[in-house]
Amino acid sequence: MRAQAAVHFEGSSELEIREIEVAEPGPGTVLVKLRASGVCGSDRHVLDGDWQLPSPTVMGHEGAGEVVAVGAGVIDVEPGDHVILSWFYPCRRCTACLSGRAYVCTGSRSEECLLPDGTTPLSLEGEPVYPYLTAGTMSEYAVVPESAAIKVPKELPFDVASLIGCSIATGVGTVVNDAAVGAGESAVVVGAGGVGLSIIMGLQLVGANPIIAIDLNEDKLAAARELGATHTIVPGPDLAAQVAEITGGGAEYAFEAIGRVQTIESLPGLIAPGGTAVIVGLPPADAPVSFDALALAETGKRLIGTNYGSTVPGRDFPKLAALYLAGRLPVDKLISERIQLSEVNEAFEAMRRGERARSVIVF
Ligand code: APR
Ligand code: ZN
């Protein structure tokens, strides 16, 4: 089957819209017709050469669509089902998966952009092409492992569903699964892009207070206020003092949602003794950060990393969908622009300028 797809060739910072060939779904895999794909900061890292990947790559990892065919042995979904794709499919066999911690699965090949059998379902003019994180959602069709296609209710709009697949799962997940923020606890979020605004939504959901958003862009801060931020700050040299003043000595939780070394290093200074700092944004490879370890230890501060908000997709996507449908998680407010696949490069340009919460490609 042929599909229009946004393809990244190593060394380029732009995507090319090309017609690729998509294989029939083999055993244990599912053919999905994509209906929406978000444009995420992690895709931007690949375009900007921050991370090494098999190339050429069909970009996109935040998507939703409709199952059109299933391979032999598939029992979780059937043609016609609406699904959100997970960009980290679990192997279901390693110790992490068997302990219910699929988000640290060691058997998945999704980061190699391969199916469990080591193949890619995509090709371009007879040569292999790799779906980013074995999702490759900036394409009309994708073939993914059964465990990466999570069934959701048909009344869930596809654009909303696509964002649940990455930014919302990551943002709300880090608040609920990793930090376990409680009602009335204080939190600061550094970076109010798609992921940071999703963290703010999660903080609003659990009743955190105050919720402080920090971003260079005033439009992002306005969006943060709409989603529940009680205070917003354009960072200056006295950022830690400003946060300390609002929270009475530092926040109980701080989240970094940009992926910059400097802002990650600022986290311990934003939290109170005993507080927790969470690294959510992903920096470029080989970018070490440094802290005053003595100060961190003496003040009993915790620094944790999280990948995908420690999401267990089969458990969490349906919950997040139900929260949206119940009016308790305004995912639609994250969508700043609905675009065509052919407009994807403009969406990345806007992202590099710090504009738009989320652009969503609608097929
Ligand atoms: N201080 C404050 N805010 C900043 C700074 C800074 N020095 N630099 C950038 N920002 C803001 C931008 O204005 C933007 O609003 O950080 C936000 C980043 O948002 P996006 O580019 O939309 O990225 P997003 O998709 O949210 O992803 C953020 O999370 O999952 C990871 O790989 C992803 O590392 C990326 C991060
Ligand atoms: Zn993402």
Side-chain angles (χ1 to χ4, degrees):
M1 159 163 330
R2 302 201 143 260
Q4 295 288 317
V7 184
H8 178 249
F9 294 87
E10 200 177 350
S12 171
S13 60
E14 296 222 322
L15 298 182
E16 291 181 25
I17 306 303
R18 301 287 288 268
E19 194 172 82
I20 60 166
E21 187 68 37
V22 181
E24 292 296 315
T29 69
V30 175
L31 175 67
V32 177
K33 179 175 170 51
L34 271 304
R35 299 290 300 275
S37 170
V39 179
C40 175
S42 295
D43 298 300
R44 200 265 312 147
H45 278 291
V46 176
L47 269 61
D48 291 352
D50 292 345
W51 302 333
Q52 284 307 304
L53 281 182
S55 182
T57 325
V58 170
M59 293 309 303
H61 61 282
E62 184 177 73
E66 197 173 331
V67 174
V68 287
V70 300
V74 169
I75 52 173
D76 288 2
V77 290
E78 57 185 30
D81 283 348
H82 291 192
V83 292
I84 299 177
L85 300 191
S86 163
W87 55 254
F88 191 55
Y89 69 80
C91 75
R92 295 175 164 172
R93 275 188 301 275
C94 71
T95 305
C97 283
L98 295 173
S99 333
R101 297 184 297 134
Y103 45 89
V104 283
C105 168
T106 55
S108 177
R109 303 196 72 175
S110 69
E111 284 171 351
E112 298 171 84
C113 308
L114 296 173
L115 291 168
D117 67 0
T119 64
T120 169
L122 310 179
S123 60
L124 175 64
E125 290 160 4
E127 297 295 321
V129 191
Y130 299 89
Y132 182 43
L133 300 172
T134 321
T137 57
M138 294 180 182
S139 168
E140 291 171 311
Y141 290 93
V143 170
V144 301
E146 173 179 26
S147 59
I150 310 300
K151 186 177 168 178
V152 287
K154 290 202 168 132
E155 56 273 33
L156 187 71
F158 284 112
D159 48 11
V160 164
S162 72
L163 298 189
I164 289 176
C166 180
S167 51
I168 294 290
T170 301
V172 178
T174 195
V175 170
V176 174
N177 299 330
D178 295 307
V181 179
E185 294 193 303
S186 56
V188 49
V189 181
V190 187
V195 173
L197 291 170
S198 300
I199 296 173
I200 290 166
M201 266 192 245
L203 290 167
Q204 165 82 353
L205 182 71
V206 301
N209 185 63
I211 301 171
I212 306 167
I214 296 166
D215 202 289
L216 300 172
N217 183 304
E218 287 287 0
D219 294 340
K220 295 291 179 65
L221 295 179
R225 282 191 291 274
E226 203 190 331
L227 292 170
T230 57
H231 300 72
T232 53
I233 304 176
V234 176
D238 54 352
L239 180 63
Q242 281 176 281
V243 170
E245 196 185 322
I246 296 165
T247 53
E252 288 167 285
Y253 299 91
F255 300 87
E256 203 272 4
I258 309 168
R260 282 180 75 250
V261 168
Q262 267 189 310
T263 38
I264 293 171
E265 288 176 339
S266 77
L267 287 181
L270 303 179
I271 53 174
T276 302
V278 191
I279 301 171
V280 187
L282 305 173
D286 302 318
V289 296
S290 72
F291 302 100
D292 181 339
L294 178 63
L296 200 75
E298 282 185 336
T299 53
K301 293 180 180 177
R302 292 196 303 151
L303 177 64
I304 61 174
T306 171
N307 191 28
Y308 214 165
S310 299
T311 291
V312 178
R315 178 193 67 185
D316 294 339
F317 289 177
K319 281 191 188 179
L320 294 166
L323 283 165
Y324 169 79
L325 291 172
R328 300 192 58 187
L329 195 66
V331 180
D332 53 310
K333 289 193 180 155
L334 206 58
I335 304 171
S336 2
E337 209 100 17
R338 289 174 182 80
I339 62 169
Q340 304 282 305
L341 183 64
S342 58
E343 298 169 305
V344 67
N345 286 311
E346 284 132 79
F348 282 111
E349 274 312 310
M351 180 187 286
R352 290 187 184 101
R353 290 192 300 268
E355 296 165 12
R356 297 191 196 172
R358 261 298 186 268
S359 308
V360 176
I361 298 164
V362 179
F363 295 92

